[in-house]
């Protein structure tokens, strides 16, 4: 769904910033796979054109990296501190905080910031102004970890390999009221919320907040780090391109031609308003997403094809990865998505039908009203400087064989291709109507679902092989059960660091099966 209807204009503010352009499409050389709708608002606002980059929240971009001259002393300090091991999603939040996406936050939230976020969706700053903050950015610990922290005023944060990531100082530990957090963030405590089940349900009963000092920029070594531009780097890129407006489009799905129609039409409208060089920030979400979303690596490959095929203009488009995890919290979360883009320099934010929404986990309906996201954004505290761009619905126009804005006077001419329908076509290797998605982009999507089928078949074969060996007495049943579990969860490590137990699986079922399983984990 994609199409523009009207612009909620508050304080347009043009831009300027940038990074080196590796290729004409602003993607690096082709990626290689590694293992390891809503009606438009009719409200009109006066248009004001200005020519400077929008200021970050709080007036200054807050980066939380340790100065190089202090790194050795910080490492030495950390040796004597209690350790808290970060989960994969915790590390993503460290990434978000360290680069200033959540400015003016200076670390994981203390209780006062947590409560303001839950109850007001904003933070009151020292000067009396308000900054939007709609999702809690917190670090949970359990009773044992709390006990180890004891009376210490600082803790060392380490990754899953015990490597030092950061120091959290001047800490405050407070109760983690999970039910209140879930109810306030999602508007429901129904079971089945993906982020809740992944991160909150099994988390500790305490939250620890404090000032964050990060030793090095977070890297994932997945071939995509070159696309993970910080707010400061994005501002530099916009300046290099002499942008006088930046309009951000967040997505966690492949780009079809309806999305492209929206983005190109937005630029046309901004030019009509008097801007000379509006730049699109195509900003796919790169943190945690639920299991049935297309993984980031495949989405980035698909976005690359969209630019290569000329669906979007590479000269007026910057493609970068937004490191935040996904909550699927609808109107609450979309405020976070918009606020973070202010810190990256965007003064226009495109919002569509049911942003950051999902189906109800128990009932056959959407969890949120499809129009509430854009309505909330137009009223949200702390987002007054951001111009919200809501859009009409786009659908496949059978008379023109392309995606077009839906015309209610001739509904029989339009075909709505849902995300579910798109996934079904790709899984079955069927082609969508010509003009729905560029051929190169569709090919990537089909390849992704082909890879899933390959891995699933490999898993089934390996399970049968293991059980067959068990029947012939090669291994005792308890060992077979352990191998089956390892096959599904034992390939979290990088390929060059496969654990000893995974090597045992490889000896039993063959390296081809292990590689296939690792491929599933990596994509």
């Amino acid at each position: 769904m994609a199409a523009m209807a009207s612009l909620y204009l508050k304080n347009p503010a043009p831009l300027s910033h940038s990074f080196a352009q590796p290729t004409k499409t602003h993607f690096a050389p082709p990626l290689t796979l590694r293992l390891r709708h809503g009606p438009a608002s009719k409200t009109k606002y006066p248009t004001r054109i200005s020519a400077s980059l929008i200021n970050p929240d709080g007036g200054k971009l807050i980066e939380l990296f340790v100065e190089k001259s202090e790194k050795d002393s910080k490492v030495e300090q950390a040796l004597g501190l209690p350790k808290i091991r970060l989960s994969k999603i915790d590390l993503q939040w460290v990434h978000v905080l360290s680069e200033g996406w959540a400015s003016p936050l200076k670390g994981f939230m203390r209780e006062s910031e947590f409560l303001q976020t839950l109850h007001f969706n904003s933070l009151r700053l020292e000067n009396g102004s308000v900054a939007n903050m709609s999702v809690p950015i917190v670090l949970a610990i359990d009773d044992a970890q709390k006990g180890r922290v004891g009376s210490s005023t600082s803790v060392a944060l380490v990754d899953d390999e015990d490597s030092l990531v950061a120091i959290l100082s001047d800490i405050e530990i407070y109760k983690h009221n999970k039910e209140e957090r879930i109810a306030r963030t999602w508007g429901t405590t129904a079971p089945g919320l993906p982020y809740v089940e992944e991160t909150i349900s099994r988390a500790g009963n305490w939250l620890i907040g404090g000032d964050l000092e990060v030793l090095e920029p977070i890297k994932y070594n997945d071939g995509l780090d070159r696309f993970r531009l910080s707010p400061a780097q994005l501002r530099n890129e916009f300046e290099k391109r002499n942008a006088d407006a930046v309009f951000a489009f967040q997505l966690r799905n492949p780009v079809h031609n309806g999305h492209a129609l929206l983005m190109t039409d937005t630029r046309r409208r901004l030019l009509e308003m008097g801007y000379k060089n509006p730049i699109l920030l195509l900003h796919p979400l790169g943190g945690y997403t639920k299991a049935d979303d297309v993984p980031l690596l495949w989405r980035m490959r698909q976005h690359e094809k969209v630019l290569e095929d000329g669906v979007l203009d590479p000269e007026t488009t910057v493609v970068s990865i937004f490191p935040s995890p996904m909550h699927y919290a609808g109107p609450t979360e979309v405020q976070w998505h918009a606020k973070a883009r202010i810190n990256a320099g965007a003064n226009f934010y495109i919002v569509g039908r049911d942003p950051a929404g999902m189906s109800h986990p128990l009932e056959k309906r959407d969890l949120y009203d499809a129009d509430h996201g854009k309505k909330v954004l137009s009223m949200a505290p702390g987002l007054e400087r951001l111009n919200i761009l809501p859009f009409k619905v786009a659908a496949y126009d059978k008379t023109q064989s392309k995606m077009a804005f839906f015309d209610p006077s001739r509904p029989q001419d339009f075909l709505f291709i849902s995300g579910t329908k798109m996934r079904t076509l790709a899984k079955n290797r069927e082609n969508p109507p010509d003009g729905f998605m560029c051929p190169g982009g569709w090919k990537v999507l089909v390849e992704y679902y082909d890879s899933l089928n390959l891995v699933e078949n490999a898993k089934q074969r390996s399970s049968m092989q293991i059980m067959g060996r068990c029947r012939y007495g090669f291994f005792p049943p308890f060992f077979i059960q352990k191998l089956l579990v390892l096959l599904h969860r034992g390939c979290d490590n990088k390929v060059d660091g496969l654990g000893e137990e995974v090597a045992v699986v490889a000896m039993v079922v063959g390296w081809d099966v292990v590689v296939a399983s690792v491929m599933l984990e990596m994509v």
Side-chain angles (χ1 to χ4, degrees), residues 136-311:
I137 302 180
V138 293
L139 180 61
I141 59 175
D142 57 26
D143 291 344
Q145 290 171 312
K146 181 176 181 288
R148 287 195 295 270
V149 171
S151 60
S152 178
T153 59
S154 299
V155 295
L157 305 182
V158 300
D159 63 17
D160 58 0
E161 296 177 349
D162 273 346
S163 297
L164 180 63
V165 173
I167 293 175
L168 196 65
S169 303
D170 193 17
I171 61 173
E172 176 185 355
I173 298 177
Y174 55 101
K175 191 70 176 176
H176 186 189
N177 189 331
K178 297 180 186 180
E179 184 176 24
E180 180 185 23
R181 177 184 175 188
I182 296 166
R184 286 282 180 179
T185 304
W186 283 270
T188 180
T189 56
L193 299 169
Y195 186 91
V196 172
E197 294 197 344
E198 183 74 21
T199 303
I200 301 177
S201 296
R202 298 186 301 273
N205 294 322
W206 304 94
L207 298 175
I208 181 170
D211 296 331
L212 191 65
E213 298 174 286
V214 181
L215 268 72
E216 299 282 356
I218 304 300
K219 300 296 181 185
Y220 300 85
N221 301 314
D222 57 358
L224 299 178
D225 285 332
R226 72 192 80 173
F227 302 121
R228 293 185 173 95
L229 303 178
S230 69
Q233 290 172 317
L234 285 169
R235 285 172 172 267
N236 281 334
E237 177 65 11
F238 301 144
E239 283 186 350
K240 285 183 182 177
R241 299 198 189 195
N242 296 315
D244 60 354
V246 171
F247 56 108
F249 187 73
Q250 144 126 359
L251 69 167
R252 56 180 172 85
N253 292 305
V255 174
H256 57 63
N257 289 351
H259 296 133
L261 173 65
L262 162 67
M263 291 181 268
T264 55
D265 190 67
T266 299
R267 188 170 195 276
R268 177 187 64 79
R269 288 172 176 265
L270 291 174
L271 290 169
E272 289 178 352
M273 289 164 50
Y275 287 95
K276 302 301 183 184
N277 190 29
I279 296 295
L280 166 65
L281 173 58
L282 184 63
H283 216 195
L285 185 136
Y288 161 80
T289 54
K290 55 190 174 69
D292 61 350
D293 283 346
V294 177
L296 177 64
L297 175 61
W298 291 92
R299 284 185 278 132
M300 292 299 290
R301 296 175 75 185
Q302 194 269 348
H303 299 345
E304 179 181 25
K305 295 299 181 184
V306 167
L307 270 77
E308 283 183 358
D309 289 359
V311 177

Side-chain angles (χ1 to χ4, degrees), residues 427-455:
K427 287 176 183 176
N428 295 333
R429 300 184 61 84
E430 299 176 24
N431 290 324
D434 289 343
F436 171 74
M437 183 184 291
C438 67
W442 184 255
K443 183 181 177 183
V444 171
L445 200 57
V446 170
E447 288 174 352
Y448 163 63
Y449 285 108
D450 280 351
S451 74
L452 289 188
N453 292 334
L454 268 173
V455 172

